[in-house]
């Protein structure tokens, strides 16, 4: 029986999780007692749910003594309420961050601007001066926004539209649709 070739195993699951938790920037918060999040359990509040999945573990890893309370509530289509994060400072003050219709990176930036301290301010100025995104994944969001930018509307007459449609239909490079796409 031939010997099995020796292979070097890839990175373990634990090392992958640790690399995700430790990726920059470090999200250490100063002067906080706790965070309290309230959001929908499903079908709504997408940015808040992505924040909970992607960014909150990194915040928790960097701040092990921080009290984090997450409340997921069932929300029907008729219910109208917004997700929010209540930030409680050590001196007893409280501040509320509205998480509705925001990306998870935007929520993280607001939290870090509120309680990130001097380390976050230094990181933010250096990243902005070098043209880098503040948080990982933000460059993808900015690229999507550039693609979705609406084109300026122009007014055309009915004759112009008819000529445009005729030009499109007579174009030999236009893709085939329907039965023409299946037939040779």
């Amino acid at each position: 029986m031939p010997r099995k070739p020796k292979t070097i195993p890839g990175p373990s699951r634990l090392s992958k999780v640790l690399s995700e938790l430790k990726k920059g920037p470090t999200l250490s918060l100063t002067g906080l007692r706790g965070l309290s999040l309230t959001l929908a359990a499903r079908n709504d509040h997408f940015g808040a749910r992505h924040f909970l999945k992607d960014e909150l573990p990194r915040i928790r890893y960097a701040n092990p003594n921080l009290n984090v309370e997450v409340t997921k509530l069932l929300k029907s289509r008729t219910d109208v309420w917004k997700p929010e994060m209540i930030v409680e400072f050590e001196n007893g003050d409280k501040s509320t961050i509205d998480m509705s219709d925001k990306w998870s990176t935007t929520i993280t930036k607001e939290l870090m601007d509120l309680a990130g301290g001097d380390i976050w301010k230094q990181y933010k100025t250096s990243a902005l001066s070098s043209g880098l995104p503040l948080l990982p994944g933000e460059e993808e969001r900015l690229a999507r926004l550039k693609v979705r930018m609406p084109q300026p509307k122009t007014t055309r007459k009915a004759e112009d539209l008819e000529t445009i449609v005729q030009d499109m239909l007579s174009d030999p490079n236009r893709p085939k649709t329907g039965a023409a796409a299946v037939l040779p």
Side-chain angles (χ1 to χ4, degrees):
M1 178 171 229
R3 290 184 173 185
K4 288 185 177 180
K6 293 183 179 181
T7 58
I8 300 173
S12 67
R13 185 175 188 286
L14 179 61
S15 65
K16 290 179 185 177
V17 169
L18 279 174
S19 67
E20 277 295 311
L21 292 175
K22 291 180 178 181
K23 72 180 175 184
T26 303
L27 303 177
S28 59
L29 303 170
T30 57
L32 284 187
R33 182 181 301 161
L35 297 174
S36 177
L37 287 84
T38 305
L39 60 136
R42 61 176 168 225
N43 297 335
D44 205 3
H45 305 159
F46 300 108
R49 289 187 6 234
H50 279 277
F51 172 81
L52 185 68
K53 178 184 153 217
D54 298 334
E55 307 296 337
L56 193 61
R58 293 178 54 215
I59 292 170
R60 188 75 178 133
Y61 183 78
N63 306 284
N65 296 329
L66 186 65
N67 183 23
V68 178
E69 209 175 289
V70 177
T71 307
K72 290 184 178 182
L73 303 172
L74 292 177
K75 182 175 185 267
S76 67
R77 292 180 190 250
T78 58
D79 292 342
V80 179
W81 54 275
K82 296 182 177 187
E84 65 180 10
M85 177 181 356
I86 298 172
V87 180
E88 186 178 355
F89 294 95
E90 288 178 348
N91 61 5
D93 292 343
K94 291 185 179 183
S95 181
T96 303
I97 297 175
D98 181 24
M99 298 190 297
S100 63
D101 299 327
K102 293 181 183 175
W103 288 71
S104 61
T105 53
T106 306
I107 298 167
T108 305
K109 284 192 289 188
E110 286 184 20
L111 176 64
M112 294 305 293
D113 287 340
L114 191 62
D118 294 333
I119 297 170
W120 172 253
K121 289 176 186 173
Q122 290 171 358
Y123 171 78
K124 188 175 177 180
T125 55
S126 66
L128 291 176
S129 65
S130 63
L132 296 173
L134 288 178
L135 297 169
E138 196 171 33
E139 62 276 359
E140 178 183 329
R141 177 179 74 94
L142 294 174
R144 285 184 185 175
L145 287 176
K146 288 179 184 175
V147 169
R148 291 184 185 172
M149 292 292 288
Q151 299 299 324
K153 294 182 180 179
T154 59
T155 57
R156 297 185 178 150
K157 297 179 183 176
E159 302 91 33
D160 293 341
L161 291 176
E162 288 177 8
T163 57
I164 291 172
V165 169
Q166 290 300 325
D167 290 343
M168 288 173 54
L169 291 175
S170 63
D171 184 18
N173 295 328
R174 89 181 163 103
K176 296 180 179 181
T177 60
V182 179
L183 298 174

